[in-house]
Amino acid sequence: MNAPHQQPDDQWDLWEVFLQEGENEPHTHAGSIRAADAENALQNARDVFSRRGAVKNLWIVRSRDIVATVPGDTASFFEPGSDKVYRHPQFYRFTLADELWKKP
Amino acid sequence: MSENTAMLEEQFRRRIAGGETIEPNDWMPDKYRSQLKRLISQHAHSEIIGMLPEGNWITRAPSLRRKLALLAKVQDEAGHGHYLYSAAETLGISREEMFDQLHAGKAKYSSIFNYPTLSWADMGMIGWLVDGAAIINQTTMAKCSYGPYSRALLRICKEENFHKKQGMEVIAMLIASGPKGKAMVQESFDRFWWPTLMMFGPHDAESPNSPDMLKWKIKLKGNDELRQRFIDMTVEQAHAWGLTIPDPHLKFNEQTRSWETGEIDWKEFQAVINGNGPCNHERMEARRNAHDNGAWVRDAARAYEAKHRRNGGTTV
Protein backbone atom coordinates (compact mmCIF):
# COMPACT_ATOMS: atom_id res chain seq x y z
CA MET A 1 0.00 0.00 0.00
CA ASN A 2 2.85 2.41 0.72
CA ALA A 3 5.15 1.29 -2.08
CA PRO A 4 5.46 3.98 -4.73
CA HIS A 5 3.74 3.16 -7.97
CA GLN A 6 6.15 1.13 -10.10
CA GLN A 7 5.40 2.36 -13.59
CA PRO A 8 5.48 6.15 -13.85
CA ASP A 9 4.10 6.91 -17.30
CA ASP A 10 4.44 10.11 -19.22
CA GLN A 11 1.00 11.30 -20.17
CA TRP A 12 -0.13 11.96 -23.71
CA ASP A 13 -0.04 15.48 -25.17
CA LEU A 14 -2.32 18.12 -23.74
CA TRP A 15 -4.99 19.46 -26.13
CA GLU A 16 -7.47 22.32 -25.77
CA VAL A 17 -11.06 21.66 -26.81
CA PHE A 18 -13.42 24.20 -28.42
CA LEU A 19 -17.10 23.42 -28.88
CA GLN A 20 -19.68 24.93 -31.19
CA GLU A 21 -22.88 24.21 -29.31
CA GLY A 22 -25.52 25.51 -31.71
CA GLU A 23 -26.27 26.78 -35.20
CA ASN A 24 -24.43 30.06 -35.84
CA GLU A 25 -22.70 29.97 -32.44
CA PRO A 26 -18.98 30.68 -32.07
CA HIS A 27 -16.62 27.94 -30.91
CA THR A 28 -15.89 28.42 -27.22
CA HIS A 29 -13.22 26.89 -25.04
CA ALA A 30 -14.57 23.93 -23.08
CA GLY A 31 -11.48 22.49 -21.37
CA SER A 32 -8.49 20.23 -21.99
CA ILE A 33 -7.89 16.57 -22.67
CA ARG A 34 -4.92 14.25 -23.08
CA ALA A 35 -4.41 12.30 -26.30
CA ALA A 36 -1.61 10.63 -28.26
CA ASP A 37 -2.64 12.07 -31.63
CA ALA A 38 -5.27 14.20 -33.36
CA GLU A 39 -7.67 11.32 -34.09
CA ASN A 40 -7.45 10.13 -30.50
CA ALA A 41 -7.88 13.74 -29.33
CA LEU A 42 -11.11 14.20 -31.31
CA GLN A 43 -12.53 10.98 -29.88
CA ASN A 44 -11.53 11.79 -26.31
CA ALA A 45 -12.91 15.31 -26.64
CA ARG A 46 -16.20 13.85 -27.88
CA ASP A 47 -16.35 11.36 -24.99
CA VAL A 48 -15.50 13.95 -22.35
CA PHE A 49 -17.40 17.01 -23.60
CA SER A 50 -20.39 15.82 -25.63
CA ARG A 51 -21.92 12.88 -23.81
CA ARG A 52 -25.35 14.51 -24.16
CA GLY A 53 -25.23 15.68 -27.76
CA ALA A 54 -25.82 19.40 -28.36
CA VAL A 55 -22.41 19.83 -30.02
CA LYS A 56 -22.39 20.84 -33.71
CA ASN A 57 -18.66 21.01 -34.24
CA LEU A 58 -15.48 20.40 -32.32
CA TRP A 59 -12.02 21.95 -32.61
CA ILE A 60 -8.93 20.61 -30.93
CA VAL A 61 -5.49 22.19 -30.83
CA ARG A 62 -2.30 21.20 -29.04
CA SER A 63 -2.05 23.42 -25.94
CA ARG A 64 1.57 24.25 -26.72
CA ASP A 65 0.49 25.80 -30.05
CA ILE A 66 -1.70 28.41 -28.34
CA VAL A 67 -0.16 31.86 -27.98
CA ALA A 68 -1.74 34.07 -25.35
CA THR A 69 -1.26 37.53 -23.90
CA VAL A 70 0.82 37.74 -20.74
CA PRO A 71 -1.20 38.67 -17.62
CA GLY A 72 1.40 41.20 -16.42
CA ASP A 73 1.25 43.09 -19.71
CA THR A 74 -2.52 43.08 -20.06
CA ALA A 75 -3.05 46.75 -19.27
CA SER A 76 -0.45 48.10 -21.70
CA PHE A 77 -1.18 45.53 -24.41
CA PHE A 78 -4.87 46.41 -24.62
CA GLU A 79 -4.34 50.09 -23.91
CA PRO A 80 -4.71 51.23 -27.57
CA GLY A 81 -8.35 50.14 -27.51
CA SER A 82 -9.33 51.57 -24.17
CA ASP A 83 -9.19 55.33 -24.83
CA LYS A 84 -11.00 55.60 -28.16
CA VAL A 85 -14.44 56.69 -27.17
CA TYR A 86 -15.13 57.76 -30.76
CA ARG A 87 -15.32 54.07 -31.72
CA HIS A 88 -18.61 53.77 -29.83
CA PRO A 89 -21.97 55.06 -31.12
CA GLN A 90 -22.62 56.77 -27.77
CA PHE A 91 -19.88 59.27 -28.68
CA TYR A 92 -22.04 60.86 -31.39
CA ARG A 93 -24.84 63.26 -30.52
CA PHE A 94 -27.34 65.11 -32.63
CA THR A 95 -31.00 65.98 -32.70
CA LEU A 96 -33.50 65.41 -35.45
CA ALA A 97 -37.02 66.63 -35.88
CA ASP A 98 -39.39 63.84 -34.74
CA GLU A 99 -41.22 63.58 -38.07
CA LEU A 100 -37.98 62.74 -39.91
CA TRP A 101 -37.62 59.53 -37.88
CA LYS A 102 -41.05 58.37 -38.97
CA LYS A 103 -40.48 58.66 -42.72
CA PRO A 104 -39.80 55.38 -44.58
CA MET B 1 8.44 38.30 3.11
CA SER B 2 10.00 40.71 0.62
CA GLU B 3 8.40 44.08 -0.04
CA ASN B 4 7.58 42.97 -3.55
CA THR B 5 5.76 39.83 -2.38
CA ALA B 6 3.83 41.84 0.20
CA MET B 7 2.68 44.19 -2.56
CA LEU B 8 1.66 41.31 -4.81
CA GLU B 9 -0.24 39.66 -1.97
CA GLU B 10 -2.10 42.87 -1.28
CA GLN B 11 -3.02 43.20 -4.96
CA PHE B 12 -4.14 39.58 -4.96
CA ARG B 13 -6.26 40.11 -1.86
CA ARG B 14 -7.93 43.10 -3.52
CA ARG B 15 -8.64 41.15 -6.70
CA ILE B 16 -10.34 38.36 -4.70
CA ALA B 17 -12.31 40.86 -2.64
CA GLY B 18 -13.46 42.55 -5.84
CA GLY B 19 -14.85 39.25 -7.11
CA GLU B 20 -12.25 38.80 -9.86
CA THR B 21 -11.43 35.33 -11.19
CA ILE B 22 -7.85 34.09 -10.87
CA GLU B 23 -6.45 32.44 -14.03
CA PRO B 24 -3.54 29.96 -14.34
CA ASN B 25 -0.86 32.45 -15.43
CA ASP B 26 -1.78 35.11 -12.85
CA TRP B 27 0.40 35.67 -9.81
CA MET B 28 -0.92 33.83 -6.74
CA PRO B 29 0.46 33.16 -3.24
CA ASP B 30 2.23 29.79 -2.90
CA LYS B 31 -0.26 28.68 -0.30
CA TYR B 32 -3.25 29.51 -2.54
CA ARG B 33 -1.65 27.33 -5.23
CA SER B 34 -0.85 24.44 -2.88
CA GLN B 35 -4.31 24.48 -1.26
CA LEU B 36 -5.96 24.37 -4.68
CA LYS B 37 -3.69 21.55 -5.88
CA ARG B 38 -4.66 19.54 -2.81
CA LEU B 39 -8.36 20.31 -3.06
CA ILE B 40 -8.83 19.81 -6.81
CA SER B 41 -6.73 16.62 -6.97
CA GLN B 42 -8.66 15.15 -4.02
CA HIS B 43 -11.89 16.00 -5.81
CA ALA B 44 -10.60 14.37 -9.03
CA HIS B 45 -9.55 11.22 -7.14
CA SER B 46 -13.02 11.09 -5.53
CA GLU B 47 -14.69 11.04 -8.96
CA ILE B 48 -12.43 8.21 -10.13
CA ILE B 49 -12.64 6.11 -6.95
CA GLY B 50 -16.38 6.91 -6.86
CA MET B 51 -16.81 4.84 -10.02
CA LEU B 52 -15.90 1.65 -8.13
CA PRO B 53 -18.82 1.18 -5.67
CA GLU B 54 -21.30 1.67 -8.54
CA GLY B 55 -19.29 -0.27 -11.11
CA ASN B 56 -19.83 -3.15 -8.71
CA TRP B 57 -23.54 -3.20 -9.64
CA ILE B 58 -23.49 -2.63 -13.41
CA THR B 59 -23.62 -6.35 -14.23
CA ARG B 60 -26.30 -6.94 -11.60
CA ALA B 61 -28.64 -4.04 -12.37
CA PRO B 62 -32.24 -5.36 -12.23
CA SER B 63 -33.27 -4.08 -15.69
CA LEU B 64 -31.82 -2.70 -18.90
CA ARG B 65 -33.14 0.77 -18.00
CA ARG B 66 -31.22 0.67 -14.70
CA LYS B 67 -28.10 -0.72 -16.34
CA LEU B 68 -28.10 2.10 -18.92
CA ALA B 69 -28.53 4.73 -16.22
CA LEU B 70 -25.73 3.26 -14.13
CA LEU B 71 -23.36 3.00 -17.09
CA ALA B 72 -24.07 6.59 -18.09
CA LYS B 73 -23.53 7.76 -14.52
CA VAL B 74 -20.21 5.94 -14.13
CA GLN B 75 -19.07 7.38 -17.49
CA ASP B 76 -19.97 10.84 -16.20
CA GLU B 77 -17.80 10.29 -13.12
CA ALA B 78 -14.86 9.43 -15.40
CA GLY B 79 -15.53 12.60 -17.37
CA HIS B 80 -15.71 14.66 -14.18
CA GLY B 81 -12.39 13.18 -13.09
CA HIS B 82 -10.91 14.39 -16.40
CA TYR B 83 -12.28 17.94 -16.01
CA LEU B 84 -10.79 18.12 -12.53
CA TYR B 85 -7.38 16.61 -13.28
CA SER B 86 -7.09 19.14 -16.12
CA ALA B 87 -8.03 21.99 -13.78
CA ALA B 88 -5.39 20.83 -11.27
CA GLU B 89 -2.77 20.53 -14.02
CA THR B 90 -3.11 24.26 -14.76
CA LEU B 91 -1.53 24.84 -11.33
CA GLY B 92 1.68 23.09 -12.35
CA ILE B 93 1.18 19.58 -11.00
CA SER B 94 1.33 16.76 -13.57
CA ARG B 95 -1.23 14.04 -13.92
CA GLU B 96 1.45 11.41 -13.25
CA GLU B 97 2.25 13.12 -9.96
CA MET B 98 -1.40 13.05 -8.93
CA PHE B 99 -1.82 9.41 -9.97
CA ASP B 100 1.36 8.50 -8.11
CA GLN B 101 0.09 10.22 -4.95
CA LEU B 102 -3.20 8.32 -5.23
CA HIS B 103 -1.65 4.95 -6.00
CA ALA B 104 0.93 5.30 -3.25
CA GLY B 105 -1.89 5.89 -0.76
CA LYS B 106 -0.70 9.45 -0.03
CA ALA B 107 -3.69 11.28 -1.49
CA LYS B 108 -7.08 11.57 0.14
CA TYR B 109 -10.44 11.14 -1.56
CA SER B 110 -14.01 11.34 -0.28
CA SER B 111 -14.39 9.00 2.70
CA ILE B 112 -17.84 7.86 1.53
CA PHE B 113 -16.39 5.62 -1.21
CA ASN B 114 -14.66 3.45 1.38
CA TYR B 115 -18.02 2.00 2.39
CA PRO B 116 -19.32 -1.12 0.61
CA THR B 117 -22.38 -1.28 -1.67
CA LEU B 118 -24.13 -4.37 -0.34
CA SER B 119 -27.61 -4.20 -1.87
CA TRP B 120 -29.31 -2.78 -4.96
CA ALA B 121 -30.91 -0.14 -2.72
CA ASP B 122 -27.39 1.25 -2.22
CA MET B 123 -27.41 2.40 -5.87
CA GLY B 124 -30.47 4.51 -5.14
CA MET B 125 -28.95 5.68 -1.87
CA ILE B 126 -25.73 6.86 -3.54
CA GLY B 127 -27.73 8.93 -6.04
CA TRP B 128 -30.09 10.37 -3.45
CA LEU B 129 -27.71 10.98 -0.52
CA VAL B 130 -24.13 10.97 -1.83
CA ASP B 131 -24.80 12.86 -5.07
CA GLY B 132 -27.28 15.07 -3.22
CA ALA B 133 -24.54 16.04 -0.77
CA ALA B 134 -22.00 16.47 -3.59
CA ILE B 135 -24.39 18.79 -5.47
CA ILE B 136 -24.73 21.05 -2.43
CA ASN B 137 -20.94 21.23 -2.10
CA GLN B 138 -20.25 21.68 -5.79
CA THR B 139 -22.88 24.30 -6.62
CA THR B 140 -21.39 26.43 -3.81
CA MET B 141 -17.81 25.76 -4.92
CA ALA B 142 -18.66 26.65 -8.53
CA LYS B 143 -18.49 30.31 -7.48
CA CYS B 144 -14.91 29.94 -6.19
CA SER B 145 -12.12 32.33 -7.17
CA TYR B 146 -10.04 29.99 -9.36
CA GLY B 147 -11.32 30.08 -12.97
CA PRO B 148 -10.44 26.57 -14.23
CA TYR B 149 -11.91 24.91 -11.10
CA SER B 150 -15.02 27.06 -11.23
CA ARG B 151 -15.62 26.25 -14.90
CA ALA B 152 -15.04 22.50 -14.35
CA LEU B 153 -17.57 22.57 -11.50
CA LEU B 154 -20.17 24.36 -13.62
CA ARG B 155 -19.96 21.55 -16.18
CA ILE B 156 -20.13 18.93 -13.43
CA CYS B 157 -23.18 20.52 -11.77
CA LYS B 158 -25.06 20.55 -15.09
CA GLU B 159 -24.62 16.77 -15.38
CA GLU B 160 -24.99 15.80 -11.75
CA ASN B 161 -28.74 16.39 -11.42
CA PHE B 162 -29.53 13.29 -13.43
CA HIS B 163 -27.39 11.28 -10.97
CA LYS B 164 -29.51 12.34 -8.04
CA LYS B 165 -32.83 11.96 -9.84
CA GLN B 166 -32.17 8.44 -11.11
CA GLY B 167 -31.23 7.48 -7.53
CA MET B 168 -34.46 8.91 -6.14
CA GLU B 169 -36.40 7.00 -8.80
CA VAL B 170 -34.75 3.76 -7.66
CA ILE B 171 -35.68 4.51 -4.02
CA ALA B 172 -39.25 5.51 -4.84
CA MET B 173 -39.82 2.37 -6.88
CA LEU B 174 -38.42 0.07 -4.16
CA ILE B 175 -40.63 1.73 -1.55
CA ALA B 176 -43.70 1.45 -3.77
CA SER B 177 -42.98 -2.24 -4.34
CA GLY B 178 -44.07 -3.19 -0.81
CA PRO B 179 -42.71 -3.92 2.69
CA LYS B 180 -39.74 -5.97 1.42
CA GLY B 181 -38.55 -3.18 -0.87
CA LYS B 182 -39.07 -0.58 1.80
CA ALA B 183 -37.11 -2.62 4.35
CA MET B 184 -34.28 -2.85 1.83
CA VAL B 185 -34.27 0.95 1.49
CA GLN B 186 -34.36 1.48 5.26
CA GLU B 187 -31.45 -0.92 5.79
CA SER B 188 -29.39 0.92 3.17
CA PHE B 189 -30.41 4.34 4.59
CA ASP B 190 -29.25 3.21 8.06
CA ARG B 191 -25.80 2.45 6.69
CA PHE B 192 -25.40 5.58 4.48
CA TRP B 193 -26.93 8.35 6.62
CA TRP B 194 -23.98 9.04 8.94
CA PRO B 195 -21.18 8.51 6.40
CA THR B 196 -22.98 10.99 4.11
CA LEU B 197 -23.04 13.63 6.87
CA MET B 198 -19.28 13.07 7.26
CA MET B 199 -18.77 13.98 3.59
CA PHE B 200 -19.02 17.67 4.50
CA GLY B 201 -15.86 17.36 6.58
CA PRO B 202 -15.05 18.19 10.21
CA HIS B 203 -16.74 20.99 12.16
CA ASP B 204 -15.46 24.41 11.06
CA ALA B 205 -13.68 24.85 14.39
CA GLU B 206 -11.70 21.67 13.73
CA SER B 207 -11.07 22.26 10.04
CA PRO B 208 -7.44 23.41 9.87
CA ASN B 209 -7.51 24.74 6.30
CA SER B 210 -10.86 26.52 6.44
CA PRO B 211 -9.83 30.10 7.42
CA ASP B 212 -7.35 30.53 4.54
CA MET B 213 -9.68 28.89 2.09
CA LEU B 214 -12.59 31.13 3.05
CA LYS B 215 -10.39 34.23 2.88
CA TRP B 216 -9.27 33.38 -0.65
CA LYS B 217 -12.75 32.29 -1.77
CA ILE B 218 -11.49 28.79 -2.50
CA LYS B 219 -14.32 27.82 -0.18
CA LEU B 220 -17.42 29.98 0.08
CA LYS B 221 -19.33 28.41 2.97
CA GLY B 222 -18.30 26.55 6.07
CA ASN B 223 -18.66 22.76 6.37
CA ASP B 224 -21.35 23.02 9.06
CA GLU B 225 -23.57 25.40 7.11
CA LEU B 226 -23.54 23.15 4.02
CA ARG B 227 -24.11 20.03 6.13
CA GLN B 228 -27.12 21.70 7.77
CA ARG B 229 -28.58 22.63 4.39
CA PHE B 230 -28.31 18.95 3.37
CA ILE B 231 -29.87 17.72 6.62
CA ASP B 232 -32.86 20.03 6.39
CA MET B 233 -33.57 19.03 2.82
CA THR B 234 -33.03 15.30 3.27
CA VAL B 235 -34.88 14.75 6.56
CA GLU B 236 -38.04 16.12 4.94
CA GLN B 237 -37.61 13.84 1.93
CA ALA B 238 -36.96 10.79 4.13
CA HIS B 239 -40.08 11.52 6.18
CA ALA B 240 -42.15 11.93 3.02
CA TRP B 241 -41.07 8.41 2.08
CA GLY B 242 -41.88 7.10 5.56
CA LEU B 243 -38.24 6.33 6.39
CA THR B 244 -36.76 6.52 9.89
CA ILE B 245 -33.62 8.62 10.42
CA PRO B 246 -31.13 6.44 12.34
CA ASP B 247 -30.54 9.12 14.97
CA PRO B 248 -32.34 9.01 18.37
CA HIS B 249 -31.28 12.62 19.06
CA LEU B 250 -32.79 14.11 15.91
CA LYS B 251 -35.17 16.95 16.73
CA PHE B 252 -36.73 19.94 15.03
CA ASN B 253 -35.69 23.30 16.42
CA GLU B 254 -38.78 25.54 16.14
CA GLN B 255 -36.70 28.70 16.52
CA THR B 256 -34.17 28.07 13.79
CA ARG B 257 -36.69 26.04 11.72
CA SER B 258 -33.90 23.50 11.35
CA TRP B 259 -33.31 19.81 12.12
CA GLU B 260 -30.67 19.13 14.79
CA THR B 261 -28.84 15.81 14.73
CA GLY B 262 -26.83 13.94 17.32
CA GLU B 263 -23.03 14.11 17.18
CA ILE B 264 -21.23 12.49 14.27
CA ASP B 265 -18.84 9.67 15.18
CA TRP B 266 -15.64 11.56 14.36
CA LYS B 267 -13.47 8.63 15.39
CA GLU B 268 -14.99 6.62 12.57
CA PHE B 269 -14.45 9.55 10.19
CA GLN B 270 -10.75 9.80 11.12
CA ALA B 271 -10.28 6.04 10.79
CA VAL B 272 -11.80 5.97 7.29
CA ILE B 273 -9.90 9.09 6.14
CA ASN B 274 -6.66 7.55 7.38
CA GLY B 275 -7.05 4.35 5.38
CA ASN B 276 -8.88 2.09 7.82
CA GLY B 277 -12.42 2.13 6.47
CA PRO B 278 -14.23 -1.05 5.40
CA CYS B 279 -13.11 -0.81 1.74
CA ASN B 280 -9.99 1.42 1.59
CA HIS B 281 -7.70 -1.45 0.73
CA GLU B 282 -10.04 -2.94 -1.87
CA ARG B 283 -10.58 0.43 -3.61
CA MET B 284 -6.86 1.17 -3.86
CA GLU B 285 -6.18 -2.34 -5.13
CA ALA B 286 -8.86 -1.99 -7.84
CA ARG B 287 -7.55 1.46 -8.83
CA ARG B 288 -3.93 0.31 -9.11
CA ASN B 289 -4.94 -2.75 -11.11
CA ALA B 290 -7.02 -0.64 -13.51
CA HIS B 291 -4.07 1.69 -14.06
CA ASP B 292 -1.53 -1.10 -14.59
CA ASN B 293 -3.84 -3.17 -16.79
CA GLY B 294 -4.46 -0.10 -18.97
CA ALA B 295 -0.74 0.40 -19.67
CA TRP B 296 -0.88 -1.49 -22.97
CA VAL B 297 -3.66 0.83 -24.22
CA ARG B 298 -1.50 3.88 -23.51
CA ASP B 299 1.49 2.22 -25.17
CA ALA B 300 -0.52 1.19 -28.22
CA ALA B 301 -1.92 4.69 -28.77
CA ARG B 302 1.57 6.15 -28.52
CA ALA B 303 3.00 3.57 -30.93
CA TYR B 304 0.20 4.29 -33.41
CA GLU B 305 0.93 8.02 -33.27
CA ALA B 306 4.68 7.42 -33.69
CA LYS B 307 4.13 5.16 -36.71
CA HIS B 308 2.03 7.79 -38.48
CA ARG B 309 4.50 10.51 -37.62
CA ARG B 310 7.29 8.41 -39.19
CA ASN B 311 5.21 8.01 -42.32
CA GLY B 312 5.01 11.78 -42.50
CA GLY B 313 1.28 12.10 -42.00
CA THR B 314 -1.19 12.74 -39.24
CA THR B 315 -3.71 10.18 -38.07
CA VAL B 316 -6.69 12.21 -39.25
Side-chain angles (χ1 to χ4, degrees):
Chain A
M1 175 112 184
N2 292 318
H5 188 66
Q6 291 306 304
Q7 300 168 283
D9 47 56
D10 56 318
Q11 291 285 316
W12 296 329
D13 274 357
L14 188 63
W15 304 70
E16 299 306 316
V17 180
F18 298 81
L19 307 178
Q20 186 190 28
E21 296 191 279
E23 203 67 53
N24 201 21
E25 293 285 328
H27 286 69
T28 47
H29 184 240
S32 334
I33 47 124
R34 295 269 177 186
D37 59 32
E39 183 184 8
N40 189 209
L42 277 175
Q43 288 165 350
N44 287 353
R46 175 200 60 196
D47 292 347
V48 173
F49 292 102
S50 71
R51 284 190 304 280
R52 286 165 177 77
V55 173
K56 288 212 65 89
N57 190 253
L58 221 166
W59 287 349
I60 45 148
V61 58
R62 277 195 174 81
S63 307
R64 63 167 179 267
D65 291 335
I66 289 187
V67 182
T69 51
V70 184
D73 296 343
T74 301
S76 61
F77 186 81
F78 292 110
E79 192 277 329
S82 61
D83 62 348
K84 294 181 176 55
V85 284
Y86 51 87
R87 287 184 174 169
H88 297 277
Q90 295 86 335
F91 182 71
Y92 300 93
R93 293 168 198 285
F94 57 92
T95 53
L96 203 59
D98 280 356
E99 55 271 23
L100 285 179
W101 281 111
K102 289 169 193 151
K103 286 197 175 144
Chain B
M1 191 189 305
S2 76
E3 209 169 292
N4 190 32
T5 314
M7 196 187 76
L8 284 168
E9 283 206 4
E10 175 54 22
Q11 270 175 7
F12 184 81
R13 197 195 55 76
R14 257 185 272 139
R15 288 191 64 193
I16 301 264
E20 282 185 48
T21 306
I22 308 301
E23 294 296 340
N25 294 327
D26 295 352
W27 186 89
M28 60 186 85
D30 288 344
K31 200 150 175 232
Y32 178 85
R33 186 184 296 277
S34 62
Q35 290 280 10
L36 273 172
K37 275 187 200 170
R38 182 184 59 83
L39 183 77
I40 303 173
S41 62
Q42 279 178 10
H43 192 170
H45 298 327
S46 301
E47 297 283 352
I48 299 302
I49 299 291
M51 295 160 78
L52 299 171
E54 290 176 308
N56 193 26
W57 281 88
I58 290 175
T59 54
R60 290 177 284 162
S63 69
L64 185 58
R65 180 184 157 88
R66 295 287 175 228
K67 193 191 287 257
L68 284 173
L70 209 49
L71 271 170
K73 184 173 187 298
V74 172
Q75 272 187 320
D76 275 353
E77 316 292 6
H80 297 173
H82 277 295
Y83 301 158
L84 293 162
Y85 281 126
S86 295
E89 281 179 288
T90 64
L91 293 158
I93 182 170
S94 73
R95 213 173 274 218
E96 296 99 305
E97 246 177 297
M98 291 185 271
F99 284 170
D100 285 347
Q101 288 172 356
L102 177 66
H103 298 151
K106 286 185 207 147
K108 291 197 166 85
Y109 54 86
S110 184
S111 57
I112 193 78
F113 301 120
N114 290 316
Y115 290 86
T117 45
L118 304 174
S119 80
W120 170 249
D122 291 0
M123 293 302 98
M125 211 52 71
I126 286 181
W128 176 35
L129 298 184
V130 177
D131 293 312
I135 288 170
I136 287 183
N137 259 329
Q138 289 166 359
T139 45
T140 312
M141 291 290 293
K143 295 168 203 124
C144 77
S145 61
Y146 190 57
Y149 191 31
S150 161
R151 291 191 286 272
L153 286 167
L154 281 176
R155 269 185 192 282
I156 291 173
C157 291
K158 265 196 213 164
E159 301 182 341
E160 201 85 36
N161 277 337
F162 129 70
H163 296 187
K164 184 177 174 188
K165 263 193 90 180
Q166 65 84 36
M168 292 177 83
E169 193 187 89
V170 168
I171 303 274
M173 206 169 269
L174 278 171
I175 288 176
S177 73
K180 247 177 104 178
K182 190 172 175 188
M184 202 171 158
V185 170
Q186 182 68 55
E187 187 275 333
S188 171
F189 189 59
D190 291 346
R191 282 184 287 111
F192 273 91
W193 172 252
W194 289 107
T196 308
L197 297 190
M198 293 175 198
M199 279 176 70
F200 294 91
H203 287 310
D204 297 324
E206 273 109 54
S207 182
N209 300 317
S210 273
D212 271 346
M213 289 170 70
L214 286 165
K215 179 180 80 183
W216 283 325
K217 293 192 188 166
I218 293 176
K219 246 168 125 166
L220 290 111
K221 303 272 182 206
N223 297 350
D224 290 317
E225 182 182 342
L226 294 175
R227 181 167 22 240
Q228 191 57 49
R229 201 187 292 173
F230 173 81
I231 291 168
D232 287 334
M233 184 179 75
T234 312
V235 167
E236 303 288 340
Q237 291 168 344
H239 285 164
W241 268 328
L243 295 171
T244 308
I245 318 284
D247 178 0
H249 301 291
L250 184 79
K251 61 173 193 297
F252 189 69
N253 183 327
E254 289 289 348
Q255 257 173 353
T256 57
R257 310 293 303 160
S258 218
W259 287 92
E260 289 171 3
T261 66
E263 195 48 89
I264 290 168
D265 181 354
W266 293 112
K267 261 199 250 154
E268 177 180 322
F269 174 73
Q270 287 303 335
V272 176
I273 279 282
N274 291 320
N276 299 315
C279 294
N280 294 58
H281 184 74
E282 189 185 327
R283 301 289 185 239
M284 290 308 300
E285 217 31 45
R287 179 62 214 133
R288 275 192 290 257
N289 285 341
H291 189 73
D292 292 346
N293 294 336
W296 71 270
V297 179
R298 294 190 289 276
D299 292 343
R302 237 191 308 270
Y304 182 76
E305 187 272 333
K307 187 177 103 183
H308 282 269
R309 192 156 25 85
R310 273 200 307 278
N311 295 343
T314 66
T315 54
V316 170

